[in-house]
Amino acid sequence: MTDTIISGETTYPTHPAAEKPRVRGDAISGDRYWCKDFADREWDSMWTKIWHVGGRVAQLEEAGDFVVHNFRHESVILVKQKNGAIRAFFNVCMHRGNQLISVEEGGVNAFTCPYHGWKWGLDGELEWVQDPEDFPQGNPCGKLRLKELACDTWGGFIFWSFNPEPTPLLEYLDPIPTLLGNRDLENYTRVVWRTLRVNTNWKFASDNFNEAYHIPAVHPQFMPMIDDHYSTTVFEMYPTGHNRMIEKLQPSSRTDQKDQVMPLWAEVLSAWGIDPEDYQGKAQEGRIALQQARRKLAAERGCHYFDKLTDDELTDQFHHTCFPNLTLTGTPEGLHVFRTEPDPEDPNWSTFDYWYLVPQTQGAKEVATLYGMRPYQAAEHETDSFDDYQTSIDQGDFLTQDLSLAETQQRGLRSMAFQDCYLADQESRVRRFHEVLNDYLEGRR
Ligand code: FES
Ligand SMILES: [Fe+2]
């Protein structure tokens, strides 16, 4: 098998902030995935420090438009101000603690508490109370405010933090904004917005999306067109705890069929006017031909967003895992966003968000997604349990494949037999993720 593998260095540009895979060797023990105490330590020392993604800027069109992000036992309102800024407030009335908003999104002139009718302005100021003269300690209006959280945006995403003094967002995300800077993500439309409740710990996704070692076993359908072999893949880890992987769009170097144009690869090449027969016996060379064809045909196909991409970006699959729970992965045509969040009570459960964001192809009315063609418009939120999801969609998509494993791995990790992973070098980012998490838990970050 090894003699079929391409040797030599990849030519893909490396980011200057990248560190060579270097891990301390902290154990990845099973209790991290099911122990309530461990989940509470994550809350105390990590979730309350980091930036959370709460939604898309495009969800808030007018002043007063809001989205609510529930995280564990907390609830946060993200609301558009009259001056266009977005601010974040705890969803808690400061009178006697009632939750102000019980819906996921909407638009208001002010937040009126359903309990005693106190009215809070969009800027968090208390504007009106019943019987203001009856407060011996003074009229609360002008005195009380909703409790505010840090809030900022990047790439059309709204971020917020429980941390009163968080690292500035761009510094926290570094170098992801630089790496994705030429994609104009702020103009992308979220055409899929799906949340699934899954019987697994939230860290499954961080682990899973930090390695491509599972691709041959779990996603064999990718073999004809995604090169999952480590010899041709770029792996990078950054000081901020985020990682990057880039896989070439070409038949996998893993098998002796790498020179054959198989049906899926033939389809991709044909779609861009390339005759697959010309690449029989040298199928990987189709990648460069595809870059050239995409460059040449970009304007007439309405793919103006190709203009800002490098040749390699016109084909290859990029994959950024942003610590702790966000994955930004995709192709020139779109960005898959995965976000996992812990269940409020049970570390054996989590929610998995799948968003698909796309740039507008000029003249096109619809765009291809995992769930068929969809219009270029903001998607409605679809929520489901993973069990129901599995039975309601066509089998064989990569999410179902990954999430099925998430549930069986969670059961195995619960066993006393499991003490630590035994990782391949190409899985270094998995241990790195746990070490960054330990840095938070042990006060080093
Ligand atoms: S708890 Fe909100 S007005 Fe009383
Ligand atoms: Fe996967």
Side-chain angles (χ1 to χ4, degrees), residues 51-320:
W51 285 95
H52 297 259
V53 172
R56 291 289 291 166
V57 171
Q59 288 175 270
L60 309 180
E61 289 175 19
E62 314 270 335
D65 286 356
F66 66 85
V67 293
V68 172
H69 185 182
N70 297 321
F71 188 92
R72 277 198 55 159
H73 54 278
E74 293 287 0
S75 180
V76 174
I77 305 170
L78 308 169
V79 57
K80 185 140 175 166
Q81 303 294 298
K82 292 186 178 125
N83 67 3
I86 298 171
R87 290 169 79 168
F89 299 100
F90 282 93
N91 185 9
V92 181
C93 179
M94 305 313 281
H95 176 222
R96 281 178 46 211
N98 189 43
Q99 213 163 53
L100 290 170
I101 301 286
S102 307
V103 294
E104 184 172 59
E105 50 184 350
V108 290
N109 294 319
F111 297 108
T112 303
C113 180
Y115 199 174
H116 311 91
W118 282 24
K119 208 163 130 187
W120 304 88
L122 303 180
D123 59 358
E125 293 283 347
L126 182 57
E127 290 178 348
W128 183 90
V129 301
Q130 186 168 260
D131 306 335
E133 69 288 353
D134 189 36
F135 291 84
Q137 66 280 49
N139 183 347
C141 292
K143 204 166 161 188
L144 297 192
R145 296 179 44 77
L146 292 179
K147 191 143 175 18
E148 189 161 6
L149 301 102
C151 186
D152 204 349
T153 63
W154 165 75
F157 295 98
I158 309 169
F159 288 82
W160 59 269
S161 179
F162 289 118
N163 188 342
E165 290 182 348
T167 308
L169 180 62
L170 288 184
E171 211 177 293
Y172 175 86
L173 291 174
D174 183 68
I176 306 297
T178 311
L179 300 175
L180 292 175
N182 54 359
R183 294 187 195 251
D184 296 336
L185 296 182
E186 57 280 3
N187 296 324
Y188 277 34
T189 306
R190 181 170 63 181
V191 293
V192 175
W193 176 15
R194 203 145 205 167
T195 302
L196 301 173
R197 183 167 150 77
V198 191
N199 189 184
T200 192
N201 183 268
W202 69 274
K203 290 187 288 299
F204 163 78
S206 313
D207 293 345
N208 184 62
F209 300 122
N210 266 318
E211 51 91 356
Y213 189 56
H214 69 277
I215 287 185
V218 180
H219 312 295
Q221 75 270 22
F222 291 152
M223 196 191 65
M225 59 174 280
I226 294 183
D227 197 345
D228 59 286
H229 196 266
Y230 64 89
S231 65
T232 61
T233 302
V234 172
F235 300 108
E236 294 186 335
M237 307 195 299
Y238 306 111
T240 44
H242 313 308
N243 301 318
R244 168 166 89 155
M245 172 177 80
I246 299 162
E247 293 167 307
K248 289 184 173 172
L249 193 75
Q250 62 186 24
S252 174
S253 298
R254 189 172 289 285
T255 77
D256 49 14
Q257 293 165 296
K258 71 181 168 60
D259 296 326
Q260 292 173 27
V261 179
M262 285 169 275
L264 195 56
W265 190 223
E267 250 174 65
V268 174
L269 297 178
S270 302
W272 287 88
I274 299 165
D275 184 353
E277 281 312 305
D278 293 348
Y279 291 89
Q280 265 323 343
K282 49 175 185 177
Q284 290 188 331
E285 289 178 26
R287 172 175 171 267
I288 300 295
L290 187 60
Q291 290 174 1
Q292 290 163 350
R294 284 182 168 170
R295 184 70 73 208
K296 196 166 132 220
L297 299 176
E300 76 182 60
R301 300 266 178 113
C303 301
H304 296 289
Y305 49 89
F306 282 2
D307 295 351
K308 291 192 178 173
L309 303 181
T310 66
D311 289 348
D312 289 340
E313 285 173 330
L314 285 179
T315 48
D316 298 347
Q317 180 106 14
F318 62 90
H319 197 93
H320 305 266

